[in-house]
Amino acid sequence: ARLGHEMRLSWRTGVGMNYQLESATDLPTTEWRDEGAPIPGTGGVVVIDVPLGPERAKFFRLRSP
C-alpha cells in the first residue's frame, strides 16, 4: 500500500530465514539495489515502510539468500 512518499510492504517470514528487499527503477533490469539491511525471519509477518524517492517508478523484489 502506498503511504504518501513510502510503500508499505508485508510478508510472512520463515524461522531462521533471512530476506533482502531489492528495488529497481526500470523493468526488465539486471540492476537490483538492496533496500536496507537483510531482515531476519521470525515465523511471523514483517511490515516495513520503504521510501519511494524521486524516481518515476520503483519495482520491488524479495530475495532469500
Side-chain angles (χ1 to χ4, degrees), residues 6-63:
E6 294 184 330
M7 179 66 73
R8 177 163 286 169
L9 303 172
S10 63
W11 66 93
R12 181 166 301 281
T13 64
V15 175
M17 301 287 292
N18 283 309
Y19 300 89
Q20 179 63 58
L21 182 64
E22 299 175 330
S23 69
T25 57
D26 196 15
L27 291 179
T29 185
T30 56
E31 288 191 45
W32 290 92
R33 295 187 182 126
D34 290 349
E35 288 280 342
I39 299 163
T42 62
V45 174
V46 168
V47 178
I48 61 171
D49 295 333
V50 181
L52 293 175
E55 295 88 359
R56 192 171 63 88
K58 199 167 190 182
F59 303 90
F60 297 97
R61 75 178 183 181
L62 190 62
R63 246 183 352 103

